[in-house]
Amino acid sequence: MARFLIRRILLGLFIMWMMTLTVYLIFYIGPGPAAVARTLAGREATPQIVAEVAHRLLLDRPWYVQYGHFISLLLQGNLGYDYYKGESVNSVIAAAFPITLSLVIGAAIIWLAMGVLSGMVSAVKTRSIWDRTFTLLALLFFSMPTFVLGFLLLLGLYYELTVSGLPVFANPGAFTSFFSNPLAWAHDLILPWLTLALVSAATYTRLTRGAMLDVFGEDYIRTARSKGMRERRVIWRHVLRAALTPIVTQFGLDVGVLIGGAIITESVFNLPGLGYTAVQAIQQQDLPVVIGVVIIASAGVILANLIVDILYAVIDPRVRLH
Amino acid sequence: MVNIGAGLATVEEFAGAAPEAEVAKKIEGRSPWRLAVARLRRDRAAMTSLGVILFIVVVAIFAPVIAAITGHGVYQQFRTTGLTPIGQPIGPNSTFLFGTDDQGRDILVRIAYGARISLIVGVLATLVTVVGGTIIGLAAGYFGKLIDTILARFMDWLLAVPFLLLAISLVSVVQIHPIGPLRPGLPVVVFVLGVFGWAAVGRIVRGQVLSIREKEYVEAARALGARPWRIMFIDILPNLVAPLIVYTTLLIPAYIVGEASLSFLGVGILPPTADWGEMISESANYYLYGTWWFLVFPSLALLITTLAFNIFGDGVRDAFDPRADLFV
């Protein structure tokens, strides 16, 4: 177990290192440093001032010198400084992360509940009207691009209701910290949650239905039934548990990717989370911020994979970690 | 000449997949390929969605005709008839069936032209992904050892990458500074989707090759002195055609969404080219004025397209291998 963990963590660190290197190289293919110094110095600046700015930010050095500097700072837990705001990247990320986290946690709870429950109903009552309805809805939302759903919800629920004098939903972009007012927190995030959840839930409906139908055919389910076990118990204890493995895998992957920023949902709702911050930083060629978000995003994916692998052993005793 | 049908017959799953009634009717050599097509033709949902797809293709091809019939060019701005006195888009009416956008352009005509971009990017990026993934997966699986280790690690790395972040970074750099043939707009979008997408195909192909290369007929080919390339492409590849076709039909809608998403984020197809993602993104600045048509029609176009491809893809998967769990 310990060896497995150490190997996976080392592999994860290696992948993160590759990521930072890739982003650095992409940045230096383009006119990154020159463009940044030029913008920072302002319209009126003489070439000397531009050079001075570039020099102070190390932007006139070769990329590997800058990369070395970045790594040495990183080893001290410092992600460097945002070129434009002059703030430390640590604090930029510390401000954006709670927003992304709130968005993902809320949406994940909703989509897991919707997806798994609808998939269970579909599998238990195959070919019923419920099964058909859920299968159709899953197909619809599976095909729905996130930003399309987001805007349609904004138009249909936020705009139309607000115009008719029923401002049920919060303005896009609003965010209240959970710790200052949990109710306002949930109220502000309902539409982003719904958007992300509906789009994601479709996959879980299909996954749960398929996996449970497979398990229903297993011998041990027949055994459980033939010894007189109640159907409800068979479904929850035996079928669902065995069907949980693919669901957990998918859940781990999805949450892992989104922790690094739900880029599209955040952009639709103007939520200044990690994804939104990263997109803006990329447009401004603000490398330190981009690198910072990339590191968090990779860490999210790697950590989620690790947790999924450990969970396997808990859910399915047949799996042992080596 | 490679006989695709004959190659398919070696995938064991197909033996059980053929409905008994069909076999009993008439004793006739039916390749699994033909059985799959027959099964697909009986699938009403799949056939309907194929009709929808063909309709979209026709619209894309004949977009200039639609422009000619309406008399509205794709870039033509109707500042007097297509905008309100204060410069707002105009809703659907007899001249502009789907209304106009923020610059007084006909949304119907722009949707027709947008279909071209969606289909071209969807198909091209899928081709890049499938061809690239197949070749690399074949090489990794067949040669094994060091080549496999390197390629498999690389695929793992690609699959763990935050795709959208890297894609946006790369496209935004190319937008300022084109790299060789990588120009802003369509070329870089296809490149980004293909380059970050092939690993998923590569992993599936590699897994299949690992088991197929131990089969007797591969050993026989090797004993006859066949070269590695011949074994890979003539003996092994035909067995992979079924999963690859299924994967291809399901990748196209995913890439259509991918392209629209990149354009929505401002790093895809550049204005003034008509593109669904870009239109939706523009309309977002206007929904607060109640110009629903500007948002709803391009959204519907995108949704109907991806839905049709996904339903058709599901049908193809069921037809080729009713028990396949490739995508679970």
Side-chain angles (χ1 to χ4, degrees), chain A residues 10 58 126 177 289-290:
Chain A
L10 285 179
L58 294 175
T126 335
S177 165
V289 177
V290 181

Side-chain angles (χ1 to χ4, degrees), chain A:
Chain A
M1 181 73 185
R3 265 186 66 188
F4 165 83
L5 277 179
I6 290 168
R7 238 189 73 192
R8 289 296 300 265
I9 289 169
L10 285 179
L11 191 68
L13 287 175
F14 176 73
I15 289 178
M16 279 166 76
W17 173 62
M18 292 279 286
M19 284 295 304
T20 62
L21 205 58
T22 313
V23 175
Y24 244 85
L25 288 176
I26 290 178
F27 181 71
Y28 279 91
I29 293 169
V36 166
R38 185 69 247 168
T39 321
L40 282 178
R43 273 175 203 282
E44 310 281 300
T46 59
Q48 284 92 330
I49 296 178
V50 176
E52 173 69 26
V53 170
H55 185 71
R56 279 213 204 138
L57 293 173
L58 294 175
L59 287 170
D60 55 348
R61 311 283 178 81
W63 70 269
Y64 46 84
V65 174
Q66 296 187 45
Y67 186 72
H69 181 69
F70 156 75
I71 290 287
S72 71
L73 276 183
L74 184 67
L75 292 178
Q76 303 158 30
N78 185 344
L79 288 166
Y81 282 88
D82 182 328
Y83 289 153
Y84 291 86
K85 292 183 197 145
E87 244 176 287
S88 83
V89 175
N90 292 24
S91 67
V92 170
I93 285 176
F97 190 65
I99 299 176
T100 295
L101 196 65
S102 306
L103 175 59
V104 175
I105 288 180
I109 293 172
I110 301 175
W111 90 54
L112 205 57
M114 286 199 304
V116 173
L117 287 180
S118 62
M120 280 177 75
V121 172
S122 279
V124 173
K125 306 226 177 279
T126 335
R127 296 188 191 286
S128 67
I129 182 82
W130 289 110
D131 182 21
R132 282 168 201 276
T133 312
F134 285 138
T135 306
L136 203 70
L137 281 178
L139 202 57
L140 179 71
F141 285 112
F142 183 76
S143 305
M144 183 93 78
T146 314
F147 63 101
V148 167
L149 180 62
F151 284 131
L152 290 179
L153 287 181
L154 273 176
L155 178 73
L157 292 179
Y158 166 73
Y159 170 78
E160 292 297 339
L161 287 179
T162 309
V163 164
S164 11
L166 278 172
V168 182
F169 297 101
N171 292 334
F175 179 78
T176 316
S177 165
F178 176 78
F179 299 103
S180 70
N181 185 347
L183 270 179
W185 171 77
H187 179 245
D188 283 347
L189 287 171
I190 291 176
L191 285 183
W193 280 344
L194 262 185
T195 305
L196 196 53
L198 281 173
V199 172
S200 314
T203 314
Y204 293 79
T205 308
R206 304 175 94 180
L207 208 58
T208 309
R209 181 178 184 274
M212 283 184 67
L213 283 179
D214 280 350
V215 180
F216 269 126
E218 296 281 345
D219 287 344
Y220 62 85
I221 300 300
R222 197 180 49 194
T223 309
R225 278 179 182 152
S226 63
K227 73 179 184 189
M229 187 182 272
R230 288 237 200 98
E231 189 61 17
R232 179 170 300 222
R233 198 174 153 88
V234 172
I235 291 167
W236 285 93
R237 278 292 287 275
H238 293 272
V239 182
L240 186 63
R241 180 162 177 179
L244 222 48
T245 320
I247 300 171
V248 166
T249 312
Q250 184 72 31
F251 190 69
L253 287 176
D254 283 349
V255 171
V257 168
L258 288 173
I259 283 294
I263 295 182
I264 294 183
T265 314
E266 288 172 18
S267 298
V268 169
F269 290 95
N270 287 326
L271 282 171
L274 283 178
Y276 186 80
T277 308
V279 170
Q280 288 201 317
I282 289 169
Q283 279 157 1
Q284 295 176 318
Q285 297 285 301
D286 196 347
L287 182 66
V289 177
V290 181
I291 291 270
V293 177
V294 164
I295 288 177
I296 303 288
S298 321
V301 172
I302 292 156
L303 209 63
N305 275 324
L306 192 64
I307 293 173
V308 164
D309 282 345
I310 295 171
L311 274 182
Y312 274 173
V314 179
I315 299 168
D316 193 339
R318 290 171 297 188
V319 178
R320 283 282 165 261
L321 301 174
H322 293 294

Side-chain angles (χ1 to χ4, degrees), chain B residues 145-209:
Chain B
K145 297 192 188 109
L146 187 63
I147 295 180
D148 183 38
T149 311
I150 294 172
L151 289 176
R153 282 288 148 271
F154 188 60
M155 286 190 249
D156 285 346
W157 175 72
L158 262 182
L159 289 170
V161 147
F163 155 74
L164 209 48
L165 266 182
L166 269 196
I168 301 170
S169 307
L170 197 59
V171 179
S172 66
V173 163
V174 171
Q175 279 182 354
I176 315 171
H177 185 94
I179 310 160
L182 282 187
R183 312 245 133 229
L186 203 140
V188 74
V189 171
V190 171
F191 176 81
V192 158
L193 292 175
V195 158
F196 292 115
W198 66 265
V201 179
R203 194 139 83 165
I204 292 173
V205 171
R206 174 180 171 267
Q208 298 266 348
V209 172

